[in-house]
Amino acid sequence: MTSQTPEKSPSRKQRLQEKQRRQLAVVDTIDKAEAKLRKAEAELAEAVAEAVEVFGSEQSASEELGLSVEAIRGFLSLVEGGAGGAEEPDGAGETVETEPARSPAKAKAEAEPKPELVAV
């Protein structure tokens, strides 16, 4: 009796299709993460803008939030410029709905590790 292996190795075509499927899945995951990042940046910018109002000045907000004045101004420009912000990555034309701004204490907690904008 001859022994046949029920599992044969995938063909080159099948290996290539699997590799492409995994690559597309990774690209899709990255796209979704970037959309979440843009939304989070918009929410953080709104919270920082509220903090500037509550604390009375960019300098006071900077001291209370532990952010540089330049970072504060960058977030304010995102709020004021809307989708036309200079630092916004590709997809700047997309509108992002944000929740109402949070309390300054919550904004400070969110602002601790300052997100770096990365253009893709």
Side-chain angles (χ1 to χ4, degrees):
M1 232 181 185
T2 59
S3 126
Q4 295 179 347
T5 57
E7 300 175 33
K8 61 180 189 178
S9 61
S11 69
R12 287 184 294 172
K13 181 179 177 180
Q14 289 170 325
R15 286 192 307 266
L16 178 59
Q17 287 173 333
E18 177 61 20
K19 182 178 179 180
Q20 288 174 335
R21 185 197 62 76
R22 289 190 347 249
Q23 289 173 337
L24 289 172
V26 169
V27 169
D28 185 49
T29 301
I30 295 293
D31 288 345
K32 289 177 183 176
E34 286 176 335
K36 288 180 183 179
L37 176 62
R38 284 190 298 273
K39 182 177 180 183
E41 288 171 341
E43 290 174 357
L44 179 57
E46 290 287 335
V48 169
E50 182 183 7
V52 170
E53 284 182 34
V54 170
F55 294 117
S57 71
E58 292 174 2
Q59 182 63 40
S60 296
S62 170
E63 292 167 4
E64 293 298 322
L65 298 176
L67 295 171
S68 68
V69 174
E70 293 79 21
I72 298 282
R73 289 179 182 150
F75 287 121
L76 291 176
S77 71
L78 284 176
V79 171
E80 293 168 359
E87 294 183 63
E88 197 161 316
D90 291 342
E94 298 175 15
T95 56
V96 178
E97 291 185 22
T98 60
E99 299 174 26
R102 294 169 183 68
S103 69
K106 200 163 193 177
K108 181 177 182 179
E110 292 176 355
E112 287 301 323
K114 181 184 159 204
E116 295 294 325
L117 299 177
V118 177
V120 176

